[in-house]
Amino acid sequence: ATGQAFGASTHFADGQQFQNGETYDFSGSSMGFGAGTNFGDARTFGAGANFTGAQTFVGANTFGDNVKFGDGQTFSAAQTFGAGANFTGNTDFATGQAFGASTHFADGQQFPSGEDYTFTGSSMGFGDGTNFGKARSFGTGANFTGAQTFVGANTFGDNVKFGAGQTFSAAQTFGTGANFTGNTDFSTGQSFGASTHFANGQQFQVGETYDFTGSSMGFGSGTTFGDPRTFGAGANFTGAQTFVGANTFGNNVKFGA
């Protein structure tokens, strides 16, 4: 009946139908909804809800923190997501969608080029093979697992982590503390923020320019710099590097054995 409230950890079967025009209270924590549930109207859901498979959400719903969504979900309007949402498969979001801190996206997520999204929440996680469609802005602490398809000149917050094999087609705006965990193909003209860390074996290309003047950068063993470079104060070169020609080093630089 309309007006029904449900307790925490309630579980609903696949294909459950909630009627348009009736009210239900889904604000209890950790509820489970089976595949193919139809919610009838826009609803509000509590923290930790688990939606198995694709659901029929209607309009603009509100979700608590740490909610988990199944593969193949489609949203017809921008939703209100809490922190820690986990999208376990490729999801079709509406343009204008904002995401909370610590949101996680599955491998292979596709964001269409003609739609706008807000990724400025902190500590978001993006699975391997995500395609961002166009240039985006990302918040602090984002974690990009594996290689992504970034388009154009993107903006990244501080302490962002990138996976091995990443390629950038244009110069990016990186914050401080970026961590490149594998060999990365940067565009010429790229500047790096203070405390950037590069993986062992990083290859910087002959004939391309890079700005390494930020302080306290870290370079992994076996880095090849391609051309003479200028380095900022406090750079740390772990192990042997391949320097080319006459380089310039700032104060308090550390060299490996």
Side-chain angles (χ1 to χ4, degrees), residues 179-196:
N179 183 2
F180 300 99
T181 64
N183 191 49
T184 303
D185 184 1
F186 299 104
S187 180
T188 189
Q190 182 64 61
S191 295
F192 302 99
S195 302
T196 297

PDB file of all heavy atoms in Angstrom, residues 179-196:
ATOM      1  N   ASN A 179      51.314  11.078 -10.011  1.00  0.00           N
ATOM      2  CA  ASN A 179      52.077   9.826  -9.939  1.00  0.00           C
ATOM      3  C   ASN A 179      51.828   9.023 -11.212  1.00  0.00           C
ATOM      4  O   ASN A 179      50.730   8.495 -11.413  1.00  0.00           O
ATOM      5  CB  ASN A 179      51.661   9.036  -8.702  1.00  0.00           C
ATOM      6  CG  ASN A 179      52.456   7.762  -8.521  1.00  0.00           C
ATOM      7  OD1 ASN A 179      53.353   7.453  -9.297  1.00  0.00           O
ATOM      8  ND2 ASN A 179      52.127   7.004  -7.481  1.00  0.00           N
ATOM      9  N   PHE A 180      52.859   8.942 -12.053  1.00  0.00           N
ATOM     10  CA  PHE A 180      52.777   8.174 -13.303  1.00  0.00           C
ATOM     11  C   PHE A 180      53.425   6.812 -13.045  1.00  0.00           C
ATOM     12  O   PHE A 180      54.639   6.708 -12.921  1.00  0.00           O
ATOM     13  CB  PHE A 180      53.462   8.935 -14.433  1.00  0.00           C
ATOM     14  CG  PHE A 180      52.850  10.285 -14.685  1.00  0.00           C
ATOM     15  CD1 PHE A 180      53.430  11.434 -14.156  1.00  0.00           C
ATOM     16  CD2 PHE A 180      51.676  10.406 -15.402  1.00  0.00           C
ATOM     17  CE1 PHE A 180      52.857  12.682 -14.358  1.00  0.00           C
ATOM     18  CE2 PHE A 180      51.085  11.652 -15.610  1.00  0.00           C
ATOM     19  CZ  PHE A 180      51.681  12.790 -15.087  1.00  0.00           C
ATOM     20  N   THR A 181      52.606   5.772 -12.950  1.00  0.00           N
ATOM     21  CA  THR A 181      53.069   4.474 -12.453  1.00  0.00           C
ATOM     22  C   THR A 181      53.703   3.596 -13.518  1.00  0.00           C
ATOM     23  O   THR A 181      54.220   2.521 -13.199  1.00  0.00           O
ATOM     24  CB  THR A 181      51.907   3.712 -11.798  1.00  0.00           C
ATOM     25  OG1 THR A 181      50.906   3.427 -12.795  1.00  0.00           O
ATOM     26  CG2 THR A 181      51.277   4.522 -10.670  1.00  0.00           C
ATOM     27  N   GLY A 182      53.650   4.023 -14.773  1.00  0.00           N
ATOM     28  CA  GLY A 182      54.286   3.291 -15.863  1.00  0.00           C
ATOM     29  C   GLY A 182      54.747   4.258 -16.926  1.00  0.00           C
ATOM     30  O   GLY A 182      54.474   5.473 -16.845  1.00  0.00           O
ATOM     31  N   ASN A 183      55.446   3.746 -17.925  1.00  0.00           N
ATOM     32  CA  ASN A 183      55.923   4.613 -18.998  1.00  0.00           C
ATOM     33  C   ASN A 183      54.744   5.330 -19.649  1.00  0.00           C
ATOM     34  O   ASN A 183      53.725   4.711 -19.983  1.00  0.00           O
ATOM     35  CB  ASN A 183      56.684   3.799 -20.039  1.00  0.00           C
ATOM     36  CG  ASN A 183      57.423   4.675 -21.028  1.00  0.00           C
ATOM     37  OD1 ASN A 183      58.131   5.586 -20.639  1.00  0.00           O
ATOM     38  ND2 ASN A 183      57.242   4.402 -22.311  1.00  0.00           N
ATOM     39  N   THR A 184      54.860   6.644 -19.821  1.00  0.00           N
ATOM     40  CA  THR A 184      53.759   7.487 -20.278  1.00  0.00           C
ATOM     41  C   THR A 184      54.219   8.308 -21.473  1.00  0.00           C
ATOM     42  O   THR A 184      55.338   8.831 -21.483  1.00  0.00           O
ATOM     43  CB  THR A 184      53.303   8.420 -19.137  1.00  0.00           C
ATOM     44  OG1 THR A 184      52.921   7.630 -18.008  1.00  0.00           O
ATOM     45  CG2 THR A 184      52.137   9.290 -19.559  1.00  0.00           C
ATOM     46  N   ASP A 185      53.370   8.430 -22.472  1.00  0.00           N
ATOM     47  CA  ASP A 185      53.672   9.207 -23.675  1.00  0.00           C
ATOM     48  C   ASP A 185      53.049  10.592 -23.509  1.00  0.00           C
ATOM     49  O   ASP A 185      51.832  10.758 -23.640  1.00  0.00           O
ATOM     50  CB  ASP A 185      53.124   8.502 -24.906  1.00  0.00           C
ATOM     51  CG  ASP A 185      53.491   9.205 -26.210  1.00  0.00           C
ATOM     52  OD1 ASP A 185      54.191  10.234 -26.161  1.00  0.00           O
ATOM     53  OD2 ASP A 185      53.065   8.720 -27.275  1.00  0.00           O
ATOM     54  N   PHE A 186      53.888  11.580 -23.208  1.00  0.00           N
ATOM     55  CA  PHE A 186      53.433  12.954 -23.017  1.00  0.00           C
ATOM     56  C   PHE A 186      53.551  13.735 -24.325  1.00  0.00           C
ATOM     57  O   PHE A 186      54.394  13.440 -25.173  1.00  0.00           O
ATOM     58  CB  PHE A 186      54.265  13.649 -21.940  1.00  0.00           C
ATOM     59  CG  PHE A 186      54.189  13.011 -20.594  1.00  0.00           C
ATOM     60  CD1 PHE A 186      55.241  12.234 -20.124  1.00  0.00           C
ATOM     61  CD2 PHE A 186      53.078  13.185 -19.789  1.00  0.00           C
ATOM     62  CE1 PHE A 186      55.189  11.636 -18.874  1.00  0.00           C
ATOM     63  CE2 PHE A 186      53.012  12.591 -18.536  1.00  0.00           C
ATOM     64  CZ  PHE A 186      54.064  11.813 -18.082  1.00  0.00           C
ATOM     65  N   SER A 187      52.751  14.766 -24.450  1.00  0.00           N
ATOM     66  CA  SER A 187      52.845  15.660 -25.590  1.00  0.00           C
ATOM     67  C   SER A 187      53.962  16.681 -25.364  1.00  0.00           C
ATOM     68  O   SER A 187      54.278  17.033 -24.222  1.00  0.00           O
ATOM     69  CB  SER A 187      51.514  16.385 -25.777  1.00  0.00           C
ATOM     70  OG  SER A 187      51.547  17.262 -26.868  1.00  0.00           O
ATOM     71  N   THR A 188      54.557  17.156 -26.425  1.00  0.00           N
ATOM     72  CA  THR A 188      55.558  18.199 -26.301  1.00  0.00           C
ATOM     73  C   THR A 188      54.951  19.457 -25.675  1.00  0.00           C
ATOM     74  O   THR A 188      53.750  19.735 -25.847  1.00  0.00           O
ATOM     75  CB  THR A 188      56.182  18.542 -27.673  1.00  0.00           C
ATOM     76  OG1 THR A 188      57.302  19.414 -27.475  1.00  0.00           O
ATOM     77  CG2 THR A 188      55.166  19.166 -28.613  1.00  0.00           C
ATOM     78  N   GLY A 189      55.784  20.182 -24.912  1.00  0.00           N
ATOM     79  CA  GLY A 189      55.314  21.374 -24.217  1.00  0.00           C
ATOM     80  C   GLY A 189      54.708  21.102 -22.854  1.00  0.00           C
ATOM     81  O   GLY A 189      54.213  22.034 -22.202  1.00  0.00           O
ATOM     82  N   GLN A 190      54.784  19.865 -22.378  1.00  0.00           N
ATOM     83  CA  GLN A 190      54.142  19.494 -21.114  1.00  0.00           C
ATOM     84  C   GLN A 190      54.917  20.035 -19.912  1.00  0.00           C
ATOM     85  O   GLN A 190      56.123  19.873 -19.808  1.00  0.00           O
ATOM     86  CB  GLN A 190      54.017  17.974 -21.003  1.00  0.00           C
ATOM     87  CG  GLN A 190      53.326  17.501 -19.744  1.00  0.00           C
ATOM     88  CD  GLN A 190      51.888  17.977 -19.695  1.00  0.00           C
ATOM     89  OE1 GLN A 190      51.093  17.631 -20.554  1.00  0.00           O
ATOM     90  NE2 GLN A 190      51.549  18.786 -18.698  1.00  0.00           N
ATOM     91  N   SER A 191      54.196  20.674 -18.980  1.00  0.00           N
ATOM     92  CA  SER A 191      54.738  21.086 -17.683  1.00  0.00           C
ATOM     93  C   SER A 191      54.241  20.137 -16.604  1.00  0.00           C
ATOM     94  O   SER A 191      53.116  19.607 -16.695  1.00  0.00           O
ATOM     95  CB  SER A 191      54.291  22.510 -17.339  1.00  0.00           C
ATOM     96  OG  SER A 191      54.824  23.440 -18.248  1.00  0.00           O
ATOM     97  N   PHE A 192      55.058  19.956 -15.560  1.00  0.00           N
ATOM     98  CA  PHE A 192      54.708  19.068 -14.453  1.00  0.00           C
ATOM     99  C   PHE A 192      54.755  19.834 -13.136  1.00  0.00           C
ATOM    100  O   PHE A 192      55.630  20.683 -12.926  1.00  0.00           O
ATOM    101  CB  PHE A 192      55.670  17.877 -14.409  1.00  0.00           C
ATOM    102  CG  PHE A 192      55.683  17.071 -15.676  1.00  0.00           C
ATOM    103  CD1 PHE A 192      56.677  17.248 -16.614  1.00  0.00           C
ATOM    104  CD2 PHE A 192      54.676  16.165 -15.933  1.00  0.00           C
ATOM    105  CE1 PHE A 192      56.694  16.519 -17.791  1.00  0.00           C
ATOM    106  CE2 PHE A 192      54.667  15.429 -17.117  1.00  0.00           C
ATOM    107  CZ  PHE A 192      55.680  15.606 -18.048  1.00  0.00           C
ATOM    108  N   GLY A 193      53.837  19.516 -12.242  1.00  0.00           N
ATOM    109  CA  GLY A 193      53.779  20.187 -10.951  1.00  0.00           C
ATOM    110  C   GLY A 193      54.824  19.675  -9.980  1.00  0.00           C
ATOM    111  O   GLY A 193      55.467  18.634 -10.190  1.00  0.00           O
ATOM    112  N   ALA A 194      55.014  20.398  -8.898  1.00  0.00           N
ATOM    113  CA  ALA A 194      55.928  19.980  -7.836  1.00  0.00           C
ATOM    114  C   ALA A 194      55.554  18.586  -7.340  1.00  0.00           C
ATOM    115  O   ALA A 194      54.387  18.188  -7.341  1.00  0.00           O
ATOM    116  CB  ALA A 194      55.884  20.974  -6.682  1.00  0.00           C
ATOM    117  N   SER A 195      56.585  17.833  -6.954  1.00  0.00           N
ATOM    118  CA  SER A 195      56.425  16.500  -6.353  1.00  0.00           C
ATOM    119  C   SER A 195      55.830  15.462  -7.299  1.00  0.00           C
ATOM    120  O   SER A 195      55.339  14.418  -6.854  1.00  0.00           O
ATOM    121  CB  SER A 195      55.599  16.571  -5.056  1.00  0.00           C
ATOM    122  OG  SER A 195      56.209  17.445  -4.118  1.00  0.00           O
ATOM    123  N   THR A 196      55.878  15.729  -8.591  1.00  0.00           N
ATOM    124  CA  THR A 196      55.487  14.708  -9.567  1.00  0.00           C
ATOM    125  C   THR A 196      56.449  13.530  -9.479  1.00  0.00           C
ATOM    126  O   THR A 196      57.646  13.699  -9.268  1.00  0.00           O
ATOM    127  CB  THR A 196      55.512  15.300 -10.985  1.00  0.00           C
ATOM    128  OG1 THR A 196      54.538  16.342 -11.074  1.00  0.00           O
ATOM    129  CG2 THR A 196      55.222  14.238 -12.038  1.00  0.00           C
TER     130      THR A 196
END
